[in-house]
Amino acid sequence: MSFQVEGKVAVVTGGSSGIGLAAVEILVAEGAKVAWCGRDEERLNASKDYILEKYPHANIFTKACNVLKKEEVQQFAKEVKLNLGNVDMLINNAGQGRVSNFENTQDEDWMKEIELKYFSVLHPVRAFLDDLKQSANASITNVNSLLALQPEPHMIATSSARAALLNLTHSLAHEFTQYGVRVNSILLGMVESAQWKRRYETRSDLNLSWEEWTGNIAKNRGIPMQRLGRPEEPARALVFLASPLASYTTGSAIDVSGGFNKHL
Ligand code: NDP
């Protein structure tokens, strides 16, 4: 069964790397028209080259844009519409986590984390909502973390901001049913990313392969599936929720954590 997104227009924020790029690739492979952004122009161009090399006929649009800058997001939305048409699916993925506990998180760090988790979603939702209202299959899908339900003391600010984002996603889902716009999220555990790759380069035991090294991390952290996720695994859940296959699902969250969730 296909994701039924052929010809539809999707936007992925933070699509130049990791989970976002994996979602872009699935959408392109499924025949969707895809726009994505990221802040770093070089990384953005590299992701564009990667997609066009594998899918030369892909209908895509990219633009450097910081999702925390409202005017940039509005301009991005205008250009997406001009280049690809009216948007059907918005995937809010851009962001990163903060490793710090209460003692070493300053007030400014709290403000930055709160700004990132709220406005990386609020700015794109504002910019694309009018378009989404006109789509017959409109969806907003937010990348969130299991930290929203299962906080970790060493990521105190990220955990609490993630909980707020889960709550916000639920409110948006209910408010937007009147417009036919579904709103869902995925809750990630630990997924292989550029950050993990950098740590691997500086590992103490150089004899360990990537699989052994990440497998050890997963075992030590108590992930039942004993490995980290691969970017395409959460990406598939994202595309499912964004697609017409999830037409009766809103206000919901899919757990993609390899069984790391400890709640029912
Ligand atoms: P990556 O670092 O590989 O990708 C992040 C992407 O977001 C990049 O394209 C980056 O590009 C972009 N980005 C970051 N900040 C902004 C911004 N302000 N405006 C526009 N683009 C931005 O990370 P992952 O794929 O691992 O993470 C994707 C999402 O999943 C993030 O929101 C992350 O917090 C979340 N997550 C990841 C987990 C994991 O284990 N990997 C766990 C829990 C949540 P650029 O830097 O050029 O802007």
Side-chain angles (χ1 to χ4, degrees):
M1 187 195 277
S2 83
F3 282 107
Q4 299 176 5
V5 294
E6 192 172 354
K8 300 198 186 308
V9 178
V11 171
V12 182
T13 67
S16 59
S17 162
I19 297 161
L21 181 54
V24 165
E25 182 165 356
I26 296 171
L27 287 159
V28 166
E30 292 281 322
K33 303 179 209 173
V34 189
W36 68 98
C37 69
R39 292 163 302 180
D40 185 276
E41 195 107 36
E42 222 171 282
R43 199 172 8 245
L44 194 62
N45 287 336
S47 66
K48 188 177 178 178
D49 292 347
Y50 166 78
I51 291 292
L52 285 177
E53 197 171 318
K54 277 185 95 169
Y55 308 92
H57 303 297
N59 202 341
I60 60 173
F61 174 73
T62 61
K63 185 175 171 69
C65 162
N66 181 343
V67 288
L68 298 183
K69 298 199 170 154
K70 191 172 179 171
E71 293 73 29
E72 284 187 20
V73 181
Q74 283 170 339
Q75 186 58 31
F76 175 54
K78 268 190 207 152
E79 292 186 33
V80 170
K81 190 164 187 167
L82 276 175
N83 283 276
L84 299 183
N86 197 70
V87 169
D88 303 289
M89 298 168 277
L90 168 63
I91 295 180
N92 289 312
N93 162 77
Q96 61 193 48
R98 162 173 286 278
V99 178
S100 63
N101 59 21
F102 179 77
E103 293 280 357
N104 57 24
T105 309
Q106 306 308 315
D107 289 352
E108 305 77 58
D109 303 325
W110 279 98
M111 294 307 288
K112 275 191 195 153
E113 195 57 13
I114 289 164
E115 184 193 14
L116 176 63
K117 296 301 180 289
Y118 273 95
F119 287 95
S120 62
V121 170
L122 291 174
H123 288 330
V125 168
R126 274 205 204 290
F128 287 101
L129 186 58
D130 283 345
D131 282 3
L132 289 166
K133 285 178 182 174
Q134 291 168 46
S135 163
N137 170 70
S139 64
I140 298 170
T141 315
N142 297 329
V143 171
N144 203 342
S145 163
L146 187 57
L147 294 170
L149 297 174
Q150 200 166 285
E152 302 256 1
H154 73 283
M155 294 188 78
I156 190 169
T158 296
S159 297
S160 68
R162 287 296 192 191
L165 176 59
L166 187 61
N167 188 297
L168 171 65
T169 303
H170 204 74
S171 296
L172 293 178
H174 284 253
E175 184 169 339
F176 292 174
T177 50
Q178 63 183 309
Y179 309 130
V181 180
R182 298 180 297 101
V183 191
N184 294 290
S185 54
I186 62 167
L187 301 180
L188 299 179
M190 283 187 267
V191 178
E192 291 174 9
S193 65
Q195 186 183 273
W196 289 110
K197 297 270 184 211
R198 278 194 299 275
R199 288 188 201 164
Y200 175 67
E201 313 277 287
T202 56
R203 68 196 180 283
S204 50
D205 187 347
L206 294 174
N207 292 323
L208 290 180
S209 68
W210 168 251
E211 285 72 24
E212 288 164 335
W213 185 77
T214 52
N216 285 346
I217 293 171
K219 275 181 222 155
N220 293 339
R221 294 298 302 277
I223 297 175
M225 288 183 75
Q226 304 202 349
R227 64 172 177 85
L228 304 192
R230 300 179 192 105
E232 61 274 18
E233 294 176 313
R236 283 197 292 264
L238 276 175
V239 175
F240 165 71
L241 285 172
S243 78
L245 292 187
S247 52
Y248 197 51
T249 301
T250 196
S252 154
I254 294 184
D255 179 295
V256 191
S257 71
F260 196 35
N261 54 343
K262 296 192 172 63
H263 52 275
L264 285 176

